[in-house]
Amino acid sequence: MKKSAGIAVGVIVALGALGTAGAWYTGKQLPATLEASIKQANDEMAKALPALGVNASIELLSLDRELFSSNARYRIKFSGPQDGELPSNLEWVVNDRIEHGPFPLSRLKAFKLMPVMASSNYALEQSPELEKWFAATKGVSPLNGQVSLGYDRSVSGTLELEPLQLPLDESTNLDFSGLTLDIDSSADGRDVSGRGQMDSLKVTSSLGDAPMSIEFQDLSLDSDLSKGSSEFYLGSNEVRLKAIALSLGSDNKPLLLKDVVQRDETSENGNFLAARYSYDVGMISYDGRDIGSSQMVWSLKNLDGKALQSMIALYGELMQADWQYQKTSSATGMPELSAEQEAKLKADLEQLLAGKPGLALEKLAFKTANGESSFKLALDIGKPASLDLPAPELAKQLISQFDAKLVVSRPMIGDVVSAQAAISGETDQEAIADQAQMMTEMASGMLLATELATLQGNDIVSSLHYANDQVDFNGKKMTVEEFVGMALAMGGGLGGGLGAPALDDEAPMLDEQLPEEGEASAGDTEQQ
């Protein structure tokens, strides 16, 4: 028994010695580690932020070292153009209590037993610029968190924005439930993942006779990214909202968007990038009545990564020059490109076009209980012989291929008309059904009469394909010049009204729908 107790005491002493030695080692390594981390962060922000219209940098103000912990203070500077609403320069000071590894006490309390080099516990420091923000959180630091640094220099941690209630002006208020974001990163920041959660964010306004409120409910964030050879982050991001509730006016009838999801995926194949962006709304509801769902999907392909990086860097340079220009000149607008910048931009654009990039709206759809209408288009771009060609020839060489298709569901038209009638207060179901049928037939007749569309089952369809200077419009092949002439003629026919001469064969049917014209044509009927 005594022997077992002695072993236990020995283990505890050994662990204590290990912890003390590790803490001493961490304390010795900490200054160099912090400087390296700050330099890396500043380098990354210098590359990415100017193109977004802002600059930011981090500076270590002080570092007080002890055996088991250290206290650091950082200054974060933000700068950007003076736009009259936001300050052009902003500074935050962050206090950081750094627990030395290998076993920081705060991690042991949370049952996190994996050894780490250090654990950082940071929070914003109060300042006159942040006075309102601190007041809204009742004196608690509105931004705080914890970050652990592994011995392989990987990083994992949590960022928290505290709940707050804040008046934005005399008539507008913000109510925020707070947000928690968990982040993991590899040593060089090439692999990054994040998970976030927010219960609600609500803005209300009581200005004049038109009160307004908008609320975002139950938000979640999910991100997994890795840097590719092009230095762009590849992978996926997803943002989910259970609902977006919008209320306008004194009648307090809410517009509700349910199950809102935004996703983006970026990939790389050799030197070329591809991306896909989707936006889904599970249900659109007004005043308690479900109307329909919607979806939009965009995609990009064959984007030359090196050319794109170079163009982004040039744009960042121009933004920087614009800020300086605003400070030293009363003139407005971007400063002119230098000859060197023009040549660089032209070379980057030619390299980008040589990759034959493409843009597509894969789907823009609205779906109701009885039908779905959609629109899609795809544009493939090529490299012209010269960017200095006349505009018509340049456009012809730039557009390698173009496709577009519109599908309008006749039952969906009726659903929308019925919903609109019900929302406006109509209660006679038979009258609603008659109105929906009439509007469906009217819309269908007008589109089909102009030959802008064809009828395929219950769908009104219009399609356009262009390639090699040839157009296929609703199955009819023609040259570009013939298509332009036809479009102009159709436009003239539409502008002339329903009784346009170009639609003689349809005129009797349309006249019957209009009493005035029906009476005027009575004599013609007798002559027939």
Side-chain angles (χ1 to χ4, degrees), residues 172-190:
T172 308
N173 291 281
L174 172 69
D175 193 343
F176 176 51
S177 68
L179 180 144
T180 301
L181 183 63
D182 296 322
I183 303 172
D184 293 283
S185 171
S186 62
D188 52 6
R190 298 196 72 85

Side-chain angles (χ1 to χ4, degrees), residues 455-495:
L455 187 62
Q456 298 179 13
N458 275 330
D459 293 331
I460 303 165
V461 181
S462 181
S463 63
L464 173 67
H465 172 77
Y466 165 81
N468 301 319
D469 203 26
Q470 291 290 313
V471 174
D472 184 328
F473 181 61
N474 292 334
K476 297 179 180 179
K477 294 179 173 56
M478 62 194 80
T479 66
V480 174
E481 290 77 15
E482 290 171 337
F483 173 72
V484 172
M486 183 192 72
L488 291 174
M490 287 181 175
L494 288 173

Side-chain angles (χ1 to χ4, degrees), residues 400-480:
S400 300
Q401 183 169 278
F402 179 82
D403 283 285
K405 186 174 183 179
L406 173 67
V407 178
V408 179
S409 165
R410 284 165 49 90
M412 194 214 74
I413 297 175
D415 287 344
V416 172
V417 173
S418 297
Q420 184 180 15
I423 289 170
S424 64
E426 179 65 60
T427 57
D428 188 332
Q429 296 302 314
E430 185 176 351
I432 291 176
D434 290 343
Q435 184 181 3
Q437 179 67 23
M438 181 187 70
M439 292 300 296
T440 299
E441 295 301 328
M442 183 178 296
S444 302
M446 290 177 63
L447 285 171
L448 296 175
T450 60
E451 298 184 0
L452 290 173
T454 59
L455 187 62
Q456 298 179 13
N458 275 330
D459 293 331
I460 303 165
V461 181
S462 181
S463 63
L464 173 67
H465 172 77
Y466 165 81
N468 301 319
D469 203 26
Q470 291 290 313
V471 174
D472 184 328
F473 181 61
N474 292 334
K476 297 179 180 179
K477 294 179 173 56
M478 62 194 80
T479 66
V480 174

